[in-house]
Amino acid sequence: MFNIHTLTRFQQLETPFYYYDLNLLGKTLESCSAASAKYNFHVHYAMKANFNPKVLELVQSHGFGADCVSGGEVKAAIQYGFDKSKIVFAGVGKSDKEINEALDRDIFCFNVESVQELGIINNLAKAKNKMASVAIRINPNVDAHTHHFITTGLEENKFGVNTWELPAVVDALKKCDSLEFLGIHFHIGSQITDMEVYKNLCIKVNELQQWFLDNGLAIKVLNLGGGLGVDYHNPDENPIGDFESYFKVFHDNLDIKPNQEVHFELGRAFVAQSASLISRVLYVKNGINKNFLILDAGMTELIRPMLYQAYHEIENLSAAGRIENQESRIKNEEKNILTLDSGLFTRTKYDVVGPICESTDCFRKDVELPESFRGDLIVIRTAGAYGEVMASGYNLRDRVTSVYSE
Ligand code: LLP
């Protein structure tokens, strides 16, 4: 992905920063549009994955809706031109202020996560003399087979209404005259790459849809949430997620009624591969039986490895440049006979760590890299989703900046 030209550009920049490949992001969005259009599916971008202004502008320009989880996200979605009739608002703890602001903005739908919340939205809408459109987020108790911390659809999780509470939901909906019931919503977890998981979700959704019909409530909207995973191990081989298989599994397994709308909320699969975190080696330090590469980026810039034991590819861009220079030198010297022998370039195992005063501030242990030196540029790949947006001001560090492909 990176070449000598990028290396030269990066060498002149202050680190750490997020580097966005907007061309790849554009291609990813086109791929998702094409795959979803086949079945007339509606896709909302889960803004929580990345709300960098350039990302929002590009996603919005492709006509996607927005999936928001706070009043701030709803506000930003409107500000960046997302059509309010394509904005959904989820979240297990929406405050009265957030609900009121979303009502004022006439968003498409509230994804409601408890019986109590239904009553609150009804009262707030009534006070404004408005109707609020709602979908019920149901916890389907389907295992997403993903990291424990990013599973959301099990009974042990705080999200959504449990199936045994559904009779109470129907009662509440019948009483709440300022609510319009649109349908049902699910989101079982993130970084899901096994399509069987979605097949299991479809089976559950079909059963629940039937239950609502039997209880006298028609469903206009089926919202299946997001969760499609990306290839963190091979970003160059698989730069774009498998939208085709993802939408097909729903098309093949969901019991879609005539005139029913099917909605999705994808975050990670839109943006993960289109950004990398670029940092410099500050120090190379020897430990007991190991070496540390101490970077100028840490958990304050990208917390995923520390929080979810997430894997990210780590590359030494400067070493790649040295190797390429050496290659061309050998090539010249030996009159076009390229004899690059990887033995020429020592590879060493490093624990790649950040500068933060926490032992957990480690991107990965035992990373095999070419011999690395102070000042080398280190690239942490697939950092576009839940990267920049989860950066923090811990240790009062400077806020990480962003750089874009030319
Ligand atoms: N819809 C709802 C209701 C969600 O809670 C989420 C993500 C999405 C859609 C989008 O899911 P995606 O397509 O991005 O998987 N910070 C974690 C991931 C947290 C996901 C939170 N919810 C990480 O870095 O892995």
Side-chain angles (χ1 to χ4, degrees):
M1 179 187 173
F2 296 104
N3 52 31
I4 288 291
H5 172 70
T6 338
L7 173 62
T8 315
R9 184 175 172 211
F10 288 176
Q11 273 165 341
Q12 288 147 20
L13 300 171
E14 203 177 301
T15 46
F17 59 86
Y18 274 92
Y19 174 73
Y20 285 89
D21 180 345
L22 298 176
N23 184 35
L24 175 60
L25 177 57
K27 283 189 185 150
T28 309
L29 299 175
E30 278 155 29
S31 164
C32 179
S33 286
S36 58
K38 266 193 192 167
Y39 310 115
N40 221 355
F41 287 165
H42 301 246
V43 182
H44 305 264
Y45 169 54
M47 274 175 69
K48 65 179 82 62
N50 192 318
F51 40 76
N52 176 296
K54 290 238 192 265
V55 170
L56 291 185
E57 278 164 18
L58 202 56
V59 173
Q60 184 278 336
S61 72
H62 282 72
F64 293 104
D67 162 38
C68 306
V69 285
S70 73
E73 286 191 0
V74 174
K75 198 167 157 191
I78 304 262
Q79 187 188 332
Y80 283 90
F82 285 89
D83 189 337
K84 62 185 182 180
S85 68
K86 293 185 183 173
I87 297 180
V88 295
F89 182 15
V92 71
K94 302 177 191 76
S95 71
D96 293 20
K97 180 170 179 262
E98 289 176 313
I99 296 170
N100 273 322
E101 285 176 0
L103 285 168
D104 291 339
R105 295 190 164 101
D106 298 315
I107 62 162
F108 171 63
C109 186
F110 290 85
N111 292 331
V112 178
E113 309 229 7
S114 68
V115 183
Q116 192 174 22
E117 188 192 333
L118 270 180
I120 300 297
I121 297 180
N122 181 60
N123 292 345
L124 295 174
K126 187 172 286 179
K128 289 180 182 291
N129 228 349
K130 288 196 167 199
M131 291 295 288
S133 299
V134 296
I136 306 299
R137 177 170 180 178
I138 303 176
N139 183 337
N141 199 22
V142 170
D143 194 344
H145 296 299
T146 184
H147 191 274
H148 180 62
F149 287 180
I150 50 175
T151 284
T152 49
L154 289 176
E155 279 167 7
E156 68 193 56
N157 301 124
K158 69 179 173 182
F159 300 101
V161 173
N162 289 306
T163 45
W164 64 84
E165 296 173 290
L166 289 179
V169 166
V170 172
D171 280 352
L173 284 170
K174 287 183 178 160
K175 283 185 208 133
C176 292
D177 52 8
S178 296
L179 299 184
E180 188 199 346
F181 173 67
L182 285 188
I184 46 181
H185 170 237
F186 303 84
H187 174 75
I188 56 171
S190 201
Q191 184 52 19
I192 300 169
T193 47
D194 176 2
M195 294 299 138
E196 273 303 299
V197 168
Y198 288 121
K199 208 170 156 184
N200 294 338
L201 173 62
C202 289
I203 294 169
K204 238 359 196 303
V205 173
N206 294 341
E207 279 170 27
L208 288 161
Q209 150 153 266
Q210 192 53 50
W211 185 90
F212 273 85
L213 286 175
D214 294 345
N215 283 275
L217 287 174
I219 296 198
K220 290 185 207 150
V221 171
L222 287 178
N223 183 335
L224 285 309
L228 175 62
V230 299
D231 192 343
Y232 280 94
H233 289 264
N234 305 291
D236 289 325
E237 288 80 350
N238 296 312
I240 298 183
D242 189 359
F243 296 108
E244 288 282 339
S245 309
Y246 176 71
F247 291 121
K248 188 173 184 307
V249 86
F250 290 99
H251 172 259
D252 290 351
N253 295 285
L254 265 187
D255 176 13
I256 304 170
K257 307 286 183 203
N259 297 324
Q260 195 167 50
E261 290 181 10
V262 183
H263 290 234
F264 294 89
E265 305 167 343
L266 290 172
R268 188 189 310 272
F270 271 27
V271 288
Q273 299 290 19
S274 52
S276 298
L277 176 61
I278 315 296
S279 65
R280 274 193 174 84
V281 176
L282 288 176
Y283 301 100
V284 185
K285 188 172 165 179
N286 298 327
I288 297 174
N289 300 327
K290 65 170 69 195
N291 300 301
F292 292 101
L293 276 193
I294 301 173
L295 307 187
D296 60 7
M299 62 193 287
T300 40
E301 285 69 42
L302 177 68
I303 201 173
R304 301 194 67 257
M306 301 79 184
L307 198 55
Y308 318 112
Q309 295 89 47
Y311 180 93
H312 287 260
E313 278 292 312
I314 298 176
E315 295 161 6
N316 183 330
L317 189 57
S318 304
R322 287 194 288 275
I323 291 171
E324 199 161 310
N325 285 338
Q326 183 80 337
E327 267 182 52
S328 43
R329 194 178 60 72
I330 294 170
K331 209 170 172 183
N332 287 339
E333 278 175 5
E334 303 201 357
K335 299 199 177 57
N336 285 340
I337 303 165
L338 178 63
T339 53
L340 175 66
D341 166 1
S342 57
L344 277 175
F345 308 104
T346 328
R347 290 182 77 83
T348 311
K349 278 189 180 168
Y350 298 97
D351 282 11
V352 178
V353 303
I356 308 302
C357 304
E358 299 261 358
S359 294
T360 188
D361 186 32
C362 173
F363 288 108
R364 224 170 78 217
K365 290 184 188 293
D366 292 326
V367 186
E368 201 181 287
L369 289 170
E371 194 177 5
S372 303
F373 304 97
R374 173 174 163 85
D376 279 359
L377 284 163
I378 302 292
V379 179
I380 304 182
R381 302 289 303 273
T382 320
Y386 308 106
E388 190 183 359
V389 286
M390 290 180 78
S392 76
Y394 186 41
N395 284 191
L396 210 53
R397 281 164 59 75
D398 289 341
R399 208 71 197 186
V400 65
T401 54
S402 334
V403 169
Y404 305 92
S405 52
E406 282 158 339

Coordinates of all heavy atoms in Angstrom, one line a residue, residues 46 48-49 67 69 90 113 137 150 152 159 185-187 189-191 225-228 232 265-269 304 308 385-386 390, ligand 1:
A46 N -22.7 3.6 10.4 CA -22.6 3.7 11.9 C -21.5 4.7 12.2 O -20.3 4.3 12.2 CB -22.3 2.3 12.5
K48 N -20.3 6.0 14.7 CA -19.4 5.8 15.8 C -18.1 5.2 15.4 O -17.1 5.5 16.0 CB -20.1 4.9 16.9 CG -20.3 3.5 16.4 CD -20.9 2.6 17.4 CE -22.4 2.7 17.5 NZ -23.2 2.4 16.3
A49 N -18.1 4.6 14.2 CA -16.8 3.9 13.8 C -15.8 5.0 13.4 O -14.6 4.8 13.6 CB -17.1 3.0 12.6
D67 N -26.4 6.1 11.2 CA -26.8 5.4 12.4 C -26.1 6.1 13.5 O -24.8 6.1 13.6 CB -26.4 3.9 12.3 CG -26.4 3.3 13.7 OD1 -27.2 3.6 14.5 OD2 -25.5 2.4 13.9
V69 N -25.6 7.2 17.8 CA -25.8 6.7 19.1 C -25.6 7.8 20.2 O -25.4 7.5 21.4 CB -24.8 5.6 19.5 CG1 -25.2 4.3 18.8 CG2 -23.3 6.0 19.1
A90 N -29.9 5.0 17.9 CA -29.9 3.9 18.9 C -29.2 4.3 20.1 O -28.6 5.4 20.2 CB -29.2 2.7 18.2
E113 N -34.5 0.7 23.3 CA -33.9 -0.4 23.9 C -34.5 -0.9 25.2 O -34.0 -1.9 25.8 CB -32.4 0.0 24.2 CG -31.7 0.5 22.9 CD -30.4 -0.1 22.6 OE1 -30.0 -1.1 23.3 OE2 -29.7 0.4 21.7
R137 N -35.4 -2.5 19.6 CA -34.2 -3.3 19.5 C -34.4 -4.5 20.3 O -34.6 -4.4 21.6 CB -33.0 -2.5 20.0 CG -31.8 -3.4 19.9 CD -30.5 -2.6 20.2 NE -29.3 -3.4 20.1 CZ -28.1 -3.0 20.2 NH1 -27.9 -1.8 20.4 NH2 -27.1 -3.9 20.2
I150 N -17.0 -7.2 22.3 CA -17.8 -6.5 21.3 C -19.0 -7.4 20.8 O -19.5 -7.3 19.7 CB -16.9 -6.1 20.1 CG1 -16.0 -7.2 19.6 CG2 -16.1 -4.8 20.5 CD1 -15.2 -6.8 18.3
T152 N -22.9 -8.1 21.5 CA -24.0 -7.3 22.1 C -25.3 -8.1 22.1 O -26.3 -7.5 22.7 CB -24.2 -6.0 21.3 OG1 -24.3 -6.4 19.9 CG2 -23.0 -5.1 21.5
F159 N -27.9 -4.6 26.0 CA -28.6 -4.0 24.9 C -29.9 -4.6 24.6 O -30.1 -5.8 24.7 CB -27.7 -4.1 23.7 CG -26.4 -3.4 23.8 CD1 -25.2 -4.1 24.1 CD2 -26.3 -2.0 23.8 CE1 -24.0 -3.4 24.3 CE2 -25.1 -1.3 24.0 CZ -24.0 -2.0 24.3
H185 N -35.4 -4.1 15.4 CA -34.0 -3.8 15.2 C -33.1 -4.8 16.0 O -33.5 -5.2 17.1 CB -33.7 -2.3 15.7 CG -32.3 -2.0 15.8 ND1 -31.7 -1.5 16.9 CD2 -31.3 -1.9 14.8 CE1 -30.4 -1.2 16.7 NE2 -30.2 -1.5 15.4
F186 N -32.0 -5.1 15.4 CA -31.0 -6.1 16.0 C -29.6 -5.6 15.7 O -29.3 -5.0 14.7 CB -31.2 -7.5 15.3 CG -32.5 -8.0 15.4 CD1 -33.5 -7.7 14.4 CD2 -32.9 -8.9 16.4 CE1 -34.8 -8.1 14.5 CE2 -34.2 -9.3 16.5 CZ -35.2 -9.0 15.5
H187 N -28.7 -5.8 16.7 CA -27.3 -5.7 16.4 C -26.6 -6.6 17.4 O -26.6 -6.4 18.6 CB -26.8 -4.2 16.6 CG -25.3 -4.1 16.5 ND1 -24.7 -4.1 15.2 CD2 -24.4 -4.0 17.4 CE1 -23.4 -4.1 15.4 NE2 -23.2 -4.0 16.7
G189 N -23.3 -7.8 17.4 CA -21.9 -7.6 17.7 C -21.1 -7.1 16.5 O -21.7 -6.9 15.4
S190 N -19.8 -7.0 16.7 CA -19.0 -6.4 15.7 C -17.9 -7.4 15.3 O -17.6 -8.3 16.0 CB -18.4 -5.1 16.3 OG -18.0 -4.2 15.4
Q191 N -17.2 -7.1 14.1 CA -16.1 -7.9 13.6 C -16.6 -9.3 13.5 O -15.9 -10.3 13.9 CB -14.9 -7.7 14.5 CG -13.6 -8.4 14.0 CD -13.2 -8.1 12.6 OE1 -13.6 -7.1 12.0 NE2 -12.4 -9.0 12.0
G225 N -28.9 -4.1 11.9 CA -27.7 -3.6 12.5 C -26.4 -3.7 11.6 O -26.6 -3.7 10.4
G226 N -25.3 -3.9 12.2 CA -24.0 -3.9 11.5 C -23.2 -5.1 11.9 O -23.8 -6.2 12.2
G227 N -21.9 -5.0 11.9 CA -21.1 -6.0 12.4 C -20.2 -6.7 11.4 O -19.3 -7.5 11.8
L228 N -20.3 -6.4 10.1 CA -19.5 -7.1 9.1 C -18.0 -6.8 9.4 O -17.6 -5.7 9.5 CB -19.8 -6.7 7.7 CG -19.0 -7.2 6.6 CD1 -19.0 -8.8 6.5 CD2 -19.4 -6.6 5.2
Y232 N -8.0 -8.0 9.3 CA -7.0 -7.3 10.0 C -5.6 -7.9 9.7 O -4.6 -7.2 9.8 CB -7.2 -7.3 11.5 CG -8.2 -6.3 11.9 CD1 -9.6 -6.6 12.1 CD2 -7.9 -4.9 12.2 CE1 -10.5 -5.6 12.5 CE2 -8.8 -4.0 12.6 CZ -10.1 -4.3 12.7 OH -11.0 -3.4 13.1
E265 N -26.8 -1.2 9.4 CA -26.0 -0.1 10.0 C -24.5 -0.6 10.1 O -24.1 -1.2 11.0 CB -26.4 0.1 11.5 CG -27.9 0.4 11.6 CD -28.4 0.3 13.1 OE1 -27.6 -0.3 13.9 OE2 -29.5 0.8 13.4
L266 N -23.8 -0.3 9.0 CA -22.4 -0.8 8.9 C -21.4 0.4 9.3 O -21.6 1.5 8.9 CB -22.1 -1.2 7.5 CG -22.8 -2.5 7.1 CD1 -22.6 -2.9 5.7 CD2 -22.3 -3.7 8.0
G267 N -20.5 0.0 10.1 CA -19.5 1.0 10.5 C -18.1 0.5 10.1 O -17.5 1.0 9.1
R268 N -17.6 -0.5 10.8 CA -16.2 -1.0 10.6 C -15.9 -1.3 9.1 O -14.9 -0.9 8.6 CB -16.0 -2.3 11.4 CG -14.5 -2.7 11.4 CD -14.4 -4.1 12.1 NE -15.1 -4.2 13.3 CZ -14.5 -3.9 14.5 NH1 -13.3 -3.6 14.6 NH2 -15.2 -4.0 15.6
A269 N -16.8 -2.0 8.5 CA -16.5 -2.5 7.1 C -16.4 -1.3 6.1 O -15.8 -1.4 5.1 CB -17.6 -3.4 6.6
R304 N -7.5 0.0 20.6 CA -8.1 -1.3 20.3 C -7.2 -2.5 20.8 O -7.7 -3.4 21.4 CB -8.4 -1.5 18.8 CG -9.4 -0.4 18.2 CD -9.9 -0.8 16.9 NE -10.8 -1.9 17.0 CZ -10.5 -3.2 16.6 NH1 -9.3 -3.4 16.1 NH2 -11.3 -4.2 16.8
Y308 N -9.3 -4.6 23.5 CA -9.9 -5.8 23.0 C -8.9 -6.8 22.6 O -9.3 -7.8 21.9 CB -10.8 -5.5 21.8 CG -11.6 -4.3 21.9 CD1 -11.4 -3.2 21.0 CD2 -12.7 -4.2 22.7 CE1 -12.2 -2.1 21.1 CE2 -13.5 -3.0 22.8 CZ -13.2 -2.0 21.9 OH -14.0 -0.9 21.9
A385 N -11.4 2.2 11.7 CA -12.6 2.1 12.5 C -12.3 2.0 14.0 O -11.4 1.2 14.4 CB -13.3 0.8 12.1
Y386 N -13.0 2.8 14.7 CA -12.8 2.8 16.2 C -11.3 3.2 16.5 O -10.8 2.6 17.5 CB -13.2 1.5 16.8 CG -14.7 1.2 16.4 CD1 -14.9 0.1 15.5 CD2 -15.7 1.9 16.9 CE1 -16.2 -0.2 15.0 CE2 -17.0 1.6 16.4 CZ -17.2 0.5 15.5 OH -18.5 0.2 15.1
M390 N -11.7 7.0 19.0 CA -11.6 6.5 20.4 C -10.3 7.1 21.1 O -9.9 6.6 22.2 CB -11.6 5.0 20.5 CG -13.0 4.4 20.2 SD -13.0 2.6 20.3 CE -13.1 2.3 22.0
Ligands
LLP1 N1 -25.4 -0.7 15.1 C1 -25.2 -0.7 16.5 C2 -26.5 -0.6 17.3 C3 -24.0 -0.7 17.1 O1 -23.9 -0.7 18.4 C4 -22.8 -0.8 16.3 C5 -21.5 -0.9 16.9 C6 -23.0 -0.8 14.9 C7 -24.3 -0.7 14.3 C8 -21.8 -0.9 13.9 O2 -21.1 -2.1 14.0 P1 -19.9 -2.4 13.0 O3 -20.5 -2.5 11.6 O4 -18.9 -1.3 13.1 O5 -19.4 -3.7 13.5 N2 -15.0 -0.3 19.5 C9 -15.2 -1.6 19.1 C10 -16.4 -1.9 18.3 C11 -17.7 -1.4 19.0 C12 -18.9 -1.6 18.2 C13 -20.1 -0.8 18.8 N3 -21.3 -0.9 18.1 C14 -13.9 -2.1 18.3 O6 -13.0 -1.3 18.1 O7 -13.8 -3.2 17.9

